[in-house]
Amino acid sequence: MTRYVAVIDIGKTNAKVALVNLADVREVALRRMANAPVLDGPYPHHDVELLWSFILDSLAEINREQRIDAISITTHGATGVLVHAAGEVALPVLDYEFAGPDTLAEDYDTIRPAFAETGTPRLPVGLNLGAQLFWQQKRFPAEFAKAAAMLMYPQYWALRLTGVAANEVTSLGCHTDLWNPWKADFSSLVDKMQWRRLMAPVRPAKDRLGPILPALAIRTGLDPQTPVFCGLHDSNASLLPHLLSDTPPFSVVSTGTWVVSMAVGGNKIALDPTRDTLVNVNALGDPVPSARFMGGREFSLLTQGQSEGWTEADIATVLAWKASLLPSTQQSSGPFPYHRAAWLDADGINNGQRFAAISFYLALMTATCLDLIGADGPTIVEGPFARNRLFTRMLAAATARAVIASEAATGTSIGAALLASDHGTAHGGGEKIEPPADPGWADYARSWRAAVDAQG
């Protein structure tokens, strides 16, 4: 029976290898490193060799402490890898925050599919993977022509572990322009650009691609028969445990560098692609209305070097003064992509009050995202923001629905580990937060919304 699953979890800000015990669905070991793009070379790109060394070292260290039964993989989206027939990278793995693809935006916009076909909004820089590939093909035609396959990022790591090339729908369906979620097939862009020949076979996230390669078994000390699972996109990894176990309607908010809200069984609503709503594809292959903003990045920028301490008196002051932060700290994405951030009624606030206002801002941005996708029922918060009590309380107040703060340290790792589970779908619990009885919380949310509306 598979019990201990090592999860390779490559986030935009941090890379992790976590060991998950499926018997009680919790992390029992963790290795972490900062993940920053390399700025030299032809364009900013991910340091896949440094990450690879970290992955192998972490697997070896964890396996010495507890035998690893299986390996699963999850990564951030908007990232693909062009490889040669032997598996080497044909072009550096482009960092999606690189603005290069915008230089060809006018040409790309004439060929990309409509939102109705793909559920993909038009996003800046390299956030549409199709725009990255288009730019790479135009700027590096010789190198592009030598590529034998294009892999989504989780499956690139699976290739390095097993030698098996595959793709998978949660990453293909994450604002790439490459996937039609209604037909469960590649989009018209793929055929128009003649990229279908490059696309590795699409496999379910739960597929065992093969055992770890013999040389890697020697390098890490793992059993040579250790299976490696296909893997999935990180936000969908957070969604999967609830998709398998919970009764709709509900929504899941996956927090990290991006805050991604996903509604299951919610109200039917027309998505607005100008406000960073999109159609994700879950691990079962079904479309999921979603919305996002770069909340983790905003939190880091806003709180850098400052204390995260606060008191109930600080909260009372912020609620009474309506001291608030208006969107958007991170421009060009999220539900208010062109609003300029501004502090309102915040003169003289102390550090604790400022931290509270920042937490409230992030909660109210998340509540806006949930409104845009027709969310209903309880809201499950996964990842770092689940531990921020001010965030979860204001989210409950703003939505007038219960919030469940997941107890798992990393929801993505738990979800990815469940791909290896063949004995159930239970997931860790969490604290249930009801909307606060104090009307000041709901009044604050209404005041914030009115101020945002007044921004225009």
Side-chain angles (χ1 to χ4, degrees):
M1 183 181 73
T2 300
R3 179 170 180 178
Y4 291 101
V5 182
V7 177
I8 298 165
D9 183 352
I10 310 296
K12 190 61 169 63
T13 305
N14 294 289
K16 300 175 282 292
V17 177
L19 187 68
V20 175
N21 182 351
L22 289 178
D24 53 9
V25 199
R26 65 185 180 92
E27 292 179 9
V28 293
L30 180 67
R31 301 293 187 276
R32 181 192 303 263
M33 66 167 277
N35 186 21
V38 178
L39 302 181
D40 60 5
Y43 48 78
H45 58 278
H46 298 292
D47 193 342
V48 293
E49 295 309 320
L50 180 63
L51 287 168
W52 183 235
S53 295
F54 163 73
I55 289 167
L56 296 182
D57 290 345
S58 298
L59 290 173
E61 290 175 10
I62 291 172
N63 190 62
R64 284 195 291 270
E65 299 169 4
Q66 172 61 60
R67 181 181 183 275
I68 293 171
D69 297 321
I71 298 172
S72 189
I73 308 161
T74 184
T75 78
H76 61 77
T79 305
V81 188
L82 291 159
V83 297
H84 295 303
E88 302 95 344
V89 172
L91 277 166
V93 183
L94 189 146
D95 172 24
Y96 64 62
E97 294 186 76
F98 171 54
D102 280 343
T103 63
L104 298 179
E106 187 174 343
D107 293 338
Y108 181 68
D109 287 345
T110 65
I111 63 163
R112 68 178 294 268
F115 182 78
E117 179 186 340
T118 63
T120 295
R122 183 63 171 107
L123 300 172
V125 294
L127 286 167
N128 295 131
L129 181 56
Q132 291 184 34
L133 294 172
F134 183 82
W135 180 84
Q136 287 177 311
Q137 187 170 26
K138 296 297 183 183
R139 290 289 182 259
F140 305 94
E143 293 85 347
F144 195 98
K146 293 176 183 176
M150 197 286 289
L151 310 173
M152 301 306 292
Y153 206 28
Q155 288 70 53
Y156 167 69
W157 298 111
L159 174 70
R160 294 196 70 160
L161 289 165
T162 67
V164 177
N167 271 314
E168 187 273 334
V169 295
T170 61
S171 294
L172 283 169
C174 180
H175 53 81
T176 65
D177 281 331
L178 302 175
W179 190 253
N180 183 326
W182 321 116
K183 294 184 177 180
D185 193 11
F186 292 105
S187 73
S188 58
L189 173 67
V190 172
D191 290 321
K192 192 176 297 183
M193 295 301 298
Q194 299 182 357
W195 291 340
R196 191 176 283 259
R197 65 174 182 82
L198 290 172
M199 298 298 172
V202 177
R203 304 272 296 268
K206 280 184 67 73
D207 266 15
R208 297 185 181 210
L209 296 188
I212 193 170
L213 290 167
L216 300 181
I218 295 171
R219 165 77 167 76
T220 61
L222 270 68
D223 186 309
Q225 296 305 309
T226 303
V228 178
F229 290 81
C230 188
L232 74 173
H233 171 238
D234 55 8
S235 296
N236 273 285
S238 293
L239 175 64
L240 181 60
H242 309 286
L243 195 66
L244 296 173
S245 297
D246 296 353
T247 301
F250 64 87
S251 57
V252 171
V253 177
S254 173
T255 68
T257 301
W258 291 90
V259 174
V260 181
S261 299
M262 297 164 282
V264 177
N267 302 308
K268 298 295 182 183
I269 193 166
L271 300 181
D272 183 351
T274 67
R275 302 189 68 183
D276 219 344
T277 64
L278 62 148
V279 177
N280 268 302
V281 179
N282 68 32
L284 306 181
D286 299 322
V288 180
S290 307
R292 36 169 244 153
F293 73 107
M294 218 169 187
R297 176 67 55 78
E298 291 189 322
F299 179 82
S300 296
L301 292 172
L302 289 164
T303 62
Q304 191 171 30
Q306 296 190 7
S307 168
E308 297 183 10
W310 53 273
T311 67
E312 289 296 335
D314 290 330
I315 304 310
T317 298
V318 171
L319 294 176
W321 291 6
K322 301 292 193 294
S324 57
L325 175 61
L326 305 183
S328 293
T329 302
Q330 195 74 24
Q331 295 279 295
S332 302
S333 62
F336 306 105
Y338 305 113
H339 286 212
R340 290 191 175 277
W343 283 94
L344 188 67
D345 297 325
D347 291 344
I349 61 173
N350 64 30
N351 284 341
Q353 293 156 5
R354 187 175 187 275
F355 180 79
I358 291 167
S359 299
F360 291 170
Y361 159 78
L362 295 167
L364 291 163
M365 289 284 281
T366 303
T368 302
C369 289
L370 291 167
D371 287 344
L372 289 171
I373 59 176
D376 196 7
T379 304
I380 302 123
V381 179
E382 297 277 5
F385 285 10
R387 299 188 291 275
N388 183 335
R389 178 116 182 134
L390 300 179
F391 174 89
T392 55
R393 285 164 72 184
M394 182 54 76
L395 184 59
T399 60
R401 300 192 301 274
V403 169
I404 299 170
S406 174
E407 293 175 351
T410 311
T412 53
S413 296
I414 298 297
L418 286 177
L419 296 179
S421 173
D422 55 6
H423 62 278
T425 59
H427 57 80
E431 180 188 5
K432 186 175 183 180
I433 297 110
E434 297 288 355
D438 179 353
W441 291 75
D443 289 345
Y444 183 98
R446 284 191 291 269
S447 174
W448 185 87
R449 289 176 179 134
V452 173
D453 289 343
Q455 281 184 315

PDB file of all heavy atoms in Angstrom, residues 319-336:
ATOM      1  N   LEU A 319     -11.679  49.291  11.873  1.00  0.00           N
ATOM      2  CA  LEU A 319     -13.098  49.197  11.526  1.00  0.00           C
ATOM      3  C   LEU A 319     -13.813  50.528  11.744  1.00  0.00           C
ATOM      4  O   LEU A 319     -14.662  50.948  10.934  1.00  0.00           O
ATOM      5  CB  LEU A 319     -13.771  48.099  12.347  1.00  0.00           C
ATOM      6  CG  LEU A 319     -13.323  46.657  12.071  1.00  0.00           C
ATOM      7  CD1 LEU A 319     -14.025  45.706  13.042  1.00  0.00           C
ATOM      8  CD2 LEU A 319     -13.611  46.257  10.632  1.00  0.00           C
ATOM      9  N   ALA A 320     -13.467  51.213  12.832  1.00  0.00           N
ATOM     10  CA  ALA A 320     -14.138  52.482  13.143  1.00  0.00           C
ATOM     11  C   ALA A 320     -13.736  53.581  12.171  1.00  0.00           C
ATOM     12  O   ALA A 320     -14.583  54.367  11.708  1.00  0.00           O
ATOM     13  CB  ALA A 320     -13.823  52.900  14.578  1.00  0.00           C
ATOM     14  N   TRP A 321     -12.441  53.658  11.858  1.00  0.00           N
ATOM     15  CA  TRP A 321     -11.952  54.707  10.953  1.00  0.00           C
ATOM     16  C   TRP A 321     -12.228  54.378   9.480  1.00  0.00           C
ATOM     17  O   TRP A 321     -12.123  55.251   8.639  1.00  0.00           O
ATOM     18  CB  TRP A 321     -10.446  54.892  11.127  1.00  0.00           C
ATOM     19  CG  TRP A 321     -10.012  55.487  12.414  1.00  0.00           C
ATOM     20  CD1 TRP A 321     -10.768  55.782  13.511  1.00  0.00           C
ATOM     21  CD2 TRP A 321      -8.666  55.853  12.744  1.00  0.00           C
ATOM     22  NE1 TRP A 321      -9.995  56.300  14.509  1.00  0.00           N
ATOM     23  CE2 TRP A 321      -8.698  56.367  14.068  1.00  0.00           C
ATOM     24  CE3 TRP A 321      -7.449  55.802  12.071  1.00  0.00           C
ATOM     25  CZ2 TRP A 321      -7.549  56.836  14.711  1.00  0.00           C
ATOM     26  CZ3 TRP A 321      -6.311  56.260  12.715  1.00  0.00           C
ATOM     27  CH2 TRP A 321      -6.355  56.771  14.028  1.00  0.00           C
ATOM     28  N   LYS A 322     -12.531  53.119   9.193  1.00  0.00           N
ATOM     29  CA  LYS A 322     -12.614  52.641   7.801  1.00  0.00           C
ATOM     30  C   LYS A 322     -11.271  52.842   7.092  1.00  0.00           C
ATOM     31  O   LYS A 322     -11.224  53.129   5.890  1.00  0.00           O
ATOM     32  CB  LYS A 322     -13.733  53.348   7.031  1.00  0.00           C
ATOM     33  CG  LYS A 322     -15.127  53.181   7.636  1.00  0.00           C
ATOM     34  CD  LYS A 322     -15.632  51.757   7.531  1.00  0.00           C
ATOM     35  CE  LYS A 322     -17.124  51.657   7.830  1.00  0.00           C
ATOM     36  NZ  LYS A 322     -17.456  51.971   9.216  1.00  0.00           N
ATOM     37  N   ALA A 323     -10.185  52.697   7.855  1.00  0.00           N
ATOM     38  CA  ALA A 323      -8.850  52.803   7.255  1.00  0.00           C
ATOM     39  C   ALA A 323      -8.667  51.633   6.293  1.00  0.00           C
ATOM     40  O   ALA A 323      -8.799  50.474   6.689  1.00  0.00           O
ATOM     41  CB  ALA A 323      -7.776  52.761   8.333  1.00  0.00           C
ATOM     42  N   SER A 324      -8.376  51.916   5.037  1.00  0.00           N
ATOM     43  CA  SER A 324      -8.379  50.843   4.048  1.00  0.00           C
ATOM     44  C   SER A 324      -7.409  51.111   2.916  1.00  0.00           C
ATOM     45  O   SER A 324      -7.000  52.257   2.653  1.00  0.00           O
ATOM     46  CB  SER A 324      -9.792  50.651   3.478  1.00  0.00           C
ATOM     47  OG  SER A 324     -10.274  51.861   2.925  1.00  0.00           O
ATOM     48  N   LEU A 325      -7.056  50.017   2.259  1.00  0.00           N
ATOM     49  CA  LEU A 325      -6.221  50.059   1.060  1.00  0.00           C
ATOM     50  C   LEU A 325      -7.101  49.707  -0.124  1.00  0.00           C
ATOM     51  O   LEU A 325      -7.790  48.677  -0.122  1.00  0.00           O
ATOM     52  CB  LEU A 325      -5.062  49.055   1.182  1.00  0.00           C
ATOM     53  CG  LEU A 325      -4.166  48.878  -0.036  1.00  0.00           C
ATOM     54  CD1 LEU A 325      -3.475  50.184  -0.420  1.00  0.00           C
ATOM     55  CD2 LEU A 325      -3.124  47.783   0.232  1.00  0.00           C
ATOM     56  N   LEU A 326      -7.073  50.552  -1.155  1.00  0.00           N
ATOM     57  CA  LEU A 326      -7.863  50.307  -2.358  1.00  0.00           C
ATOM     58  C   LEU A 326      -6.972  49.702  -3.436  1.00  0.00           C
ATOM     59  O   LEU A 326      -5.766  49.930  -3.472  1.00  0.00           O
ATOM     60  CB  LEU A 326      -8.485  51.620  -2.851  1.00  0.00           C
ATOM     61  CG  LEU A 326      -9.341  52.392  -1.836  1.00  0.00           C
ATOM     62  CD1 LEU A 326      -9.953  53.632  -2.484  1.00  0.00           C
ATOM     63  CD2 LEU A 326     -10.433  51.499  -1.255  1.00  0.00           C
ATOM     64  N   PRO A 327      -7.550  48.924  -4.350  1.00  0.00           N
ATOM     65  CA  PRO A 327      -6.745  48.243  -5.368  1.00  0.00           C
ATOM     66  C   PRO A 327      -6.218  49.219  -6.435  1.00  0.00           C
ATOM     67  O   PRO A 327      -6.761  50.312  -6.597  1.00  0.00           O
ATOM     68  CB  PRO A 327      -7.746  47.255  -5.983  1.00  0.00           C
ATOM     69  CG  PRO A 327      -9.088  47.874  -5.737  1.00  0.00           C
ATOM     70  CD  PRO A 327      -8.982  48.604  -4.440  1.00  0.00           C
ATOM     71  N   SER A 328      -5.174  48.723  -7.156  1.00  0.00           N
ATOM     72  CA  SER A 328      -4.507  47.430  -7.021  1.00  0.00           C
ATOM     73  C   SER A 328      -3.016  47.675  -6.830  1.00  0.00           C
ATOM     74  O   SER A 328      -2.419  48.448  -7.581  1.00  0.00           O
ATOM     75  CB  SER A 328      -4.679  46.568  -8.271  1.00  0.00           C
ATOM     76  OG  SER A 328      -5.999  46.159  -8.468  1.00  0.00           O
ATOM     77  N   THR A 329      -2.437  47.005  -5.842  1.00  0.00           N
ATOM     78  CA  THR A 329      -1.002  47.127  -5.630  1.00  0.00           C
ATOM     79  C   THR A 329      -0.229  46.519  -6.791  1.00  0.00           C
ATOM     80  O   THR A 329       0.789  47.043  -7.234  1.00  0.00           O
ATOM     81  CB  THR A 329      -0.607  46.437  -4.311  1.00  0.00           C
ATOM     82  OG1 THR A 329      -1.337  47.038  -3.245  1.00  0.00           O
ATOM     83  CG2 THR A 329       0.878  46.574  -4.051  1.00  0.00           C
ATOM     84  N   GLN A 330      -0.712  45.365  -7.291  1.00  0.00           N
ATOM     85  CA  GLN A 330      -0.094  44.701  -8.442  1.00  0.00           C
ATOM     86  C   GLN A 330      -0.955  44.993  -9.666  1.00  0.00           C
ATOM     87  O   GLN A 330      -2.080  44.532  -9.769  1.00  0.00           O
ATOM     88  CB  GLN A 330       0.004  43.196  -8.193  1.00  0.00           C
ATOM     89  CG  GLN A 330       0.935  42.457  -9.123  1.00  0.00           C
ATOM     90  CD  GLN A 330       2.404  42.705  -8.823  1.00  0.00           C
ATOM     91  OE1 GLN A 330       2.754  43.052  -7.711  1.00  0.00           O
ATOM     92  NE2 GLN A 330       3.253  42.548  -9.820  1.00  0.00           N
ATOM     93  N   GLN A 331      -0.419  45.748 -10.597  1.00  0.00           N
ATOM     94  CA  GLN A 331      -1.186  46.196 -11.758  1.00  0.00           C
ATOM     95  C   GLN A 331      -1.283  45.109 -12.834  1.00  0.00           C
ATOM     96  O   GLN A 331      -0.532  44.144 -12.836  1.00  0.00           O
ATOM     97  CB  GLN A 331      -0.524  47.439 -12.363  1.00  0.00           C
ATOM     98  CG  GLN A 331      -0.544  48.662 -11.458  1.00  0.00           C
ATOM     99  CD  GLN A 331      -1.860  49.391 -11.498  1.00  0.00           C
ATOM    100  OE1 GLN A 331      -2.254  49.927 -12.512  1.00  0.00           O
ATOM    101  NE2 GLN A 331      -2.546  49.416 -10.367  1.00  0.00           N
ATOM    102  N   SER A 332      -2.237  45.299 -13.737  1.00  0.00           N
ATOM    103  CA  SER A 332      -2.381  44.529 -14.987  1.00  0.00           C
ATOM    104  C   SER A 332      -2.982  43.147 -14.814  1.00  0.00           C
ATOM    105  O   SER A 332      -3.079  42.395 -15.789  1.00  0.00           O
ATOM    106  CB  SER A 332      -1.035  44.405 -15.719  1.00  0.00           C
ATOM    107  OG  SER A 332      -0.507  45.675 -16.006  1.00  0.00           O
ATOM    108  N   SER A 333      -3.381  42.775 -13.609  1.00  0.00           N
ATOM    109  CA  SER A 333      -4.076  41.509 -13.419  1.00  0.00           C
ATOM    110  C   SER A 333      -5.043  41.679 -12.261  1.00  0.00           C
ATOM    111  O   SER A 333      -5.074  42.716 -11.598  1.00  0.00           O
ATOM    112  CB  SER A 333      -3.086  40.370 -13.141  1.00  0.00           C
ATOM    113  OG  SER A 333      -2.369  40.610 -11.948  1.00  0.00           O
ATOM    114  N   GLY A 334      -5.866  40.660 -12.029  1.00  0.00           N
ATOM    115  CA  GLY A 334      -6.828  40.728 -10.947  1.00  0.00           C
ATOM    116  C   GLY A 334      -8.124  41.397 -11.360  1.00  0.00           C
ATOM    117  O   GLY A 334      -8.298  41.821 -12.511  1.00  0.00           O
ATOM    118  N   PRO A 335      -9.072  41.530 -10.424  1.00  0.00           N
ATOM    119  CA  PRO A 335     -10.392  42.065 -10.763  1.00  0.00           C
ATOM    120  C   PRO A 335     -10.413  43.560 -11.035  1.00  0.00           C
ATOM    121  O   PRO A 335     -11.382  44.073 -11.599  1.00  0.00           O
ATOM    122  CB  PRO A 335     -11.232  41.725  -9.527  1.00  0.00           C
ATOM    123  CG  PRO A 335     -10.245  41.630  -8.405  1.00  0.00           C
ATOM    124  CD  PRO A 335      -8.995  41.081  -9.028  1.00  0.00           C
ATOM    125  N   PHE A 336      -9.348  44.272 -10.635  1.00  0.00           N
ATOM    126  CA  PHE A 336      -9.260  45.719 -10.887  1.00  0.00           C
ATOM    127  C   PHE A 336      -7.903  46.023 -11.528  1.00  0.00           C
ATOM    128  O   PHE A 336      -7.049  46.670 -10.918  1.00  0.00           O
ATOM    129  CB  PHE A 336      -9.430  46.502  -9.587  1.00  0.00           C
ATOM    130  CG  PHE A 336     -10.689  46.161  -8.836  1.00  0.00           C
ATOM    131  CD1 PHE A 336     -10.655  45.370  -7.686  1.00  0.00           C
ATOM    132  CD2 PHE A 336     -11.926  46.626  -9.270  1.00  0.00           C
ATOM    133  CE1 PHE A 336     -11.799  45.047  -6.990  1.00  0.00           C
ATOM    134  CE2 PHE A 336     -13.088  46.308  -8.579  1.00  0.00           C
ATOM    135  CZ  PHE A 336     -13.029  45.518  -7.440  1.00  0.00           C
TER     136      PHE A 336
END
